[in-house]
Amino acid sequence: MRRKYLLQSEALGCYITIEYADGMLCGLEAELPSFNTVQKGASKYGLYFNEAVFLEEAKKNKVAITEIKRDITFDLFWDKYNDKARSGKQEAVQVWNKLTQKEQLEAFDFITTYFNTVKLNNVAKLYAASYLNKKRWIK
């Protein structure tokens, strides 16, 4: 599952957004687009490859962090899954609405990996409703 955190770095003088996927660092962004700021942020916060270590260090050092909540709608899922040429949107909506918010986020985040797997194995992509019903994102 992907999680994003926002913190203000007094040392760098800007806001930093740190993103984790399944507990591992996958993104780091500085408010200021200066290469030096991003490079310093990467060297400082890049040490926290593991989300649990990052959260522990932030708590220990009394660094205020805010988790950025993600809200994935069906329309965002439908656009990313790109199943518009096929029918089945109504069925996919029904399945989507039965999923928990956590499952919706996981299903959305896994689409790119699923597409790469389909391409690599040279098999047909499932309809969106089937992808959701079969919970293809569960490892």
Side-chain angles (χ1 to χ4, degrees):
M1 164 120 52
R2 287 184 180 267
R3 289 196 174 112
K4 274 188 178 183
Y5 300 95
L6 179 69
L7 65 131
Q8 183 175 8
S9 171
E10 291 179 21
L12 300 176
C14 67
Y15 284 97
I16 305 286
T17 303
I18 301 176
E19 185 173 4
Y20 289 91
D22 297 325
M24 296 304 293
L25 182 68
C26 68
L28 178 78
E29 203 174 288
E31 175 191 60
L32 300 172
S34 155
F35 178 74
N36 272 347
T37 303
V38 175
Q39 189 177 30
K40 287 178 190 173
S43 64
K44 181 176 181 175
Y45 296 104
L47 298 173
Y48 303 111
F49 291 111
N50 183 287
E51 182 178 13
V53 172
F54 166 71
L55 293 173
E56 185 179 308
E57 285 293 313
K59 184 177 180 180
K60 185 169 75 177
N61 293 306
K62 297 180 181 160
V63 174
I65 59 171
T66 306
E67 183 175 353
I68 300 170
K69 296 292 182 187
R70 296 173 55 218
D71 186 25
I72 304 298
T73 64
F74 175 79
D75 290 332
L76 289 171
F77 167 80
W78 187 252
D79 287 344
K80 186 173 181 180
Y81 201 82
N82 198 18
D83 209 10
K84 294 170 193 69
R86 305 186 200 192
S87 60
K89 184 174 184 177
Q90 207 168 7
E91 292 87 354
V93 169
Q94 290 173 352
V95 179
W96 177 263
N97 289 333
K98 291 178 186 176
L99 298 175
T100 65
Q101 184 180 16
K102 182 180 182 225
E103 289 173 322
Q104 290 173 350
L105 288 169
E106 289 171 345
F108 180 81
D109 289 340
F110 192 72
I111 291 172
T112 303
T113 303
Y114 172 67
F115 286 172
N116 289 337
T117 302
V118 164
K119 188 183 274 187
L120 184 66
N121 294 322
N122 200 25
V123 295
K125 176 174 88 169
L126 292 173
Y127 286 105
S130 297
Y131 169 81
L132 294 171
N133 260 327
K134 295 181 181 196
K135 297 186 179 187
R136 290 294 185 183
W137 60 92
I138 297 176
K139 299 168 187 157

